[in-house]
Amino acid sequence: MRLEGDAWREFFDAFGDSAFRLETLPVYGVASEDDEFRRFLAGEPRPDEELADSPWLHRVRRFTASGRRVERVHVVTPPLSDYLRYEMEWGYDFNIVAGEDVRIIETRDPSELPFAAHEDFWLFDDTHVVLMRYEEDGTQIDRVLLEDADVAEYVARKNTALRLGTPYEQYRARLNT
């Protein structure tokens, strides 16, 4: 079943305990980020107040204030794309402050990972899997609720990714040295 627009937001916001995201792409084509990304590439200073006030971060704060966890692992291959540098420098710092657990797996060969290297998904409450499908350029195709998925397989992928992932703050400190 495809989840779009309000149906996606309602489904997402209804999780009870945990929402986990595995990201594997070096770039995501998100229209709402186009202006920020352009400003980042132009070398403009990071607009901290504007970034900290995003709708996503308001949701993360609400989720975490109610005791729910939001976790994300991003698989990256050096050198980092411009988009990944933007996401880290203009995004993840604020996600962390809002309460999201962000981790990075850096690998030179994603095929060596013990899970599908290019399969983005959300896992909600270890019971519902939503596959995130993208074009090669990072433009989202759709979101599909996998009703017949082997959820245990996705839970294992989540647990492995969290175990292999370096907490974002440690990863970022390593990049800056």
Side-chain angles (χ1 to χ4, degrees):
M1 172 171 69
R2 289 186 178 184
L3 293 170
E4 304 297 334
D6 289 340
W8 166 239
R9 185 179 176 120
E10 288 171 19
F11 180 86
F12 190 107
D13 289 356
F15 78 91
D17 181 53
S18 66
F20 169 81
R21 171 82 157 110
L22 180 66
E23 294 179 309
T24 63
L25 301 179
V27 63
Y28 291 91
V30 181
S32 64
E33 295 176 345
D34 287 348
D35 183 56
E36 283 178 10
F37 186 47
R38 179 193 56 74
R39 291 166 32 202
F40 169 79
L41 291 174
E44 293 184 19
R46 185 173 79 175
D48 289 356
E49 287 182 33
E50 176 185 330
L51 294 173
D53 196 38
S54 79
W56 169 247
L57 296 180
H58 284 288
R59 291 171 69 202
V60 170
R61 286 184 202 100
R62 187 175 38 117
F63 299 146
T64 58
S66 70
R68 297 184 280 175
R69 290 186 326 277
V70 180
E71 302 165 308
R72 172 187 317 260
V73 174
H74 201 141
V75 177
V76 303
T77 303
L80 297 181
S81 67
D82 287 340
Y83 181 84
L84 285 175
R85 289 186 311 99
Y86 154 75
E87 189 172 55
M88 290 182 188
E89 295 175 30
W90 284 36
Y92 288 162
D93 288 342
F94 298 97
N95 293 48
I96 298 295
V97 170
E100 188 173 340
D101 177 359
V102 179
R103 298 173 190 221
I104 306 295
I105 297 174
E106 183 178 279
T107 180
R108 296 223 178 266
D109 186 359
S111 69
E112 293 180 353
L113 294 173
F115 49 80
H118 290 289
E119 185 177 59
D120 282 36
F121 65 89
W122 278 99
L123 176 63
F124 298 95
D125 299 322
D126 288 351
T127 58
H128 301 291
V129 179
V130 176
L131 187 63
M132 308 293 285
R133 299 190 315 171
Y134 297 90
E135 299 287 350
E136 284 190 34
D137 69 356
T139 302
Q140 188 173 59
I141 298 169
D142 58 15
R143 302 172 198 93
V144 180
L145 176 61
L146 301 180
E147 297 177 272
D148 296 325
D150 179 358
V151 175
E153 179 182 324
Y154 285 90
V155 171
R157 291 179 193 180
K158 174 194 87 164
N159 292 338
T160 300
L162 287 169
R163 182 176 46 78
L164 294 175
T166 300
Y168 172 69
E169 301 94 328
Q170 292 175 17
Y171 181 81
R172 178 86 187 264
R174 241 184 28 229
L175 285 179
N176 293 333
T177 58

